Amino acid sequence: IFLSVAGLDAFTKFLKTEFSEENIEFWIACEDYKKSKTTHELFPKAKTIYETFIRKDAPKEVNLDFQTKEVTSQNIEQPLITTFDAAQNTVYRLMEQDCYPRFLRSDTYLNLVKGRNPGRPTLRRRSRSFTVNDFQGVRPDFTAW
């Protein structure tokens, strides 16, 4: 889904307008979690992700089916790099099938593709057909006049 930082930023802003930014926040947290270098790093990160996104009534609870939530809850006891894979895949599929197609039709995405920042007015580019730099070192031929 996310090919660039600008694309990810635009998609996140779009999800905020739909009140579903917890999905992308969870996905990003899982990506960061997978970059952990030691098992010592895994436990505190796993606990934070679980408390923030997975547990019942979590502040940013993501929409997971019972089975995925159960498996993830069991995995949290002894976290591995793969602890959140099933939950992350579920959330990814939800975004891919639900909000991402709407994002592709949104003004946020269309402005991104057109290279415009929706917060700024569109400015016209100056013509490159005549610039001073193009003529550096060139002497005019006045004999033709």
Side-chain angles (χ1 to χ4, degrees):
I1 292 179
F2 319 110
L3 300 177
S4 69
V5 172
L8 179 59
D9 184 50
F11 186 54
T12 302
K13 286 177 183 171
F14 173 77
L15 289 177
K16 285 181 182 181
T17 68
E18 294 206 333
F19 304 102
S20 60
E21 67 269 21
E22 70 278 355
N23 292 322
I24 194 66
E25 290 174 9
F26 172 70
W27 187 86
I28 291 169
C30 290
E31 289 297 298
D32 177 64
Y33 175 82
K34 289 191 255 183
K35 293 176 186 168
S36 299
K37 302 254 188 282
T38 66
T39 53
H40 182 70
E41 289 179 70
L42 291 178
F43 188 75
K45 285 184 179 183
K47 185 173 170 35
T48 299
I49 292 171
Y50 181 79
E51 293 295 320
T52 305
F53 300 104
I54 306 289
R55 77 169 165 78
K56 185 174 173 28
D57 298 323
K60 297 180 178 187
E61 187 176 4
V62 291
N63 186 7
L64 296 173
D65 59 275
F66 177 80
Q67 181 67 31
T68 303
K69 190 174 265 201
E70 267 311 294
V71 167
T72 305
S73 297
Q74 290 168 5
N75 289 345
I76 206 77
E77 299 302 321
Q78 301 226 321
L80 301 171
I81 223 66
T82 58
T83 294
F84 296 103
D85 283 1
Q88 186 182 19
N89 288 335
T90 298
V91 168
Y92 183 90
R93 275 194 313 277
L94 285 171
M95 289 190 295
E96 183 180 50
Q97 295 168 1
D98 184 37
C99 45
Y100 193 67
R102 284 195 306 278
F103 168 66
L104 294 178
R105 295 186 300 271
S106 73
D107 288 341
T108 305
Y109 176 75
L110 296 175
N111 286 332
L112 176 70
V113 172
K114 291 177 186 172
R116 289 196 315 227
N117 180 342
R120 291 185 179 162
T122 305
L123 300 174
R124 290 185 57 185
R125 277 195 162 156
R126 290 185 353 186
S127 170
R128 289 260 322 136
S129 60
F130 178 80
T131 65
V132 174
N133 290 339
D134 292 338
F135 294 98
Q136 282 184 334
V138 175
R139 299 271 180 217
D141 181 6
F142 291 113
T143 59
W145 295 1

